[in-house]
Each structure stands twice: as structure tokens, then as C-alpha cells.
Amino acid sequence: MEQIVLNLIMNSGDARSYAMEAIQAAKDGDFNNAEDLMKKCNEQLDHAHAAQTNLIHSEASGNKTEFSLLLVHAQDHLMTTITLKDLALEIIDIHKKIDAN
């Protein structure tokens, strides 16, 4: 269980880093790099989401998940990273529009 939770944290953290790097790339006008970084962000979020889905399926199958602060922390990382990803896409789009003018 701890390994799954730590993978969730690690993949969410990596995705967050890629999203922040993509915003910076867009600020610098490097939109191709921003797009590549967002693809990496999505890949890491896919891994994190798979870990979360495994936990949910396990519990739905009757294997009760023990509540832990680490699990709450992992969920927090995932949810804030998903929000950041959505905001990063919007910020990149704004920078593209500004750059086009």
C-alpha cells in the first residue's frame, strides 16, 4: 500500500513540475516545448490516476483500504496537480494569444 501511495505522490509531483515548466516555456514563447512538457505532464498524471484507480478497484472488491495521512496527502497531490494542469493549459493559451498580437 505504501508503495502505491508513494508512486501516486511521485507521479503527481512529476506532472506538477512538467506543468510549471510548460508555463515557463510559454512565457518564453517556446510553445512547442510547452506542448511537449504538457504531454509529459499528462503521461505522469495517467500513471498517478492508474495507481488511484487500482486503490479504488481494490476497495470495491472488498479489500478495505486503511486510512492514512499519507494516502490523504497523495490524493491532495493528485487533485491539485489536475487543477494545475487545467490552469497551465489556459495560461499557455493566453500566452499564445498575446504572442500572436
Side-chain angles (χ1 to χ4, degrees):
M1 170 62 104
E2 285 180 7
Q3 185 64 38
I4 293 170
V5 171
L6 290 174
N7 280 333
L8 217 160
I9 292 170
M10 181 186 68
N11 288 314
S12 296
D14 289 346
R16 180 189 183 286
S17 294
Y18 286 130
M20 292 302 295
E21 288 178 42
I23 291 170
Q24 187 59 52
K27 283 173 61 176
D28 295 338
D30 189 353
F31 300 112
N32 288 332
N33 189 31
E35 185 176 313
D36 290 341
L37 288 162
M38 288 308 297
K39 286 178 185 176
K40 290 179 180 180
C41 172
N42 284 326
E43 290 170 6
Q44 293 303 312
L45 277 176
D46 286 346
H47 293 306
H49 190 257
Q52 179 192 47
T53 301
N54 287 339
L55 288 173
I56 293 169
H57 282 268
S58 177
E59 187 160 324
S61 298
N63 301 318
K64 199 70 172 157
T65 303
E66 183 179 328
F67 175 81
S68 74
L69 190 54
L70 191 59
L71 179 57
V72 171
H73 181 65
Q75 285 298 117
D76 182 51
H77 263 278
L78 179 59
M79 297 308 298
T80 56
T81 300
I82 290 170
T83 301
L84 177 62
K85 180 200 84 160
D86 293 341
L87 287 172
L89 292 171
E90 292 298 321
I91 291 168
I92 291 165
D93 187 50
I94 289 168
H95 280 289
K96 284 180 181 178
K97 288 179 181 178
I98 291 170
D99 193 61
N101 289 328

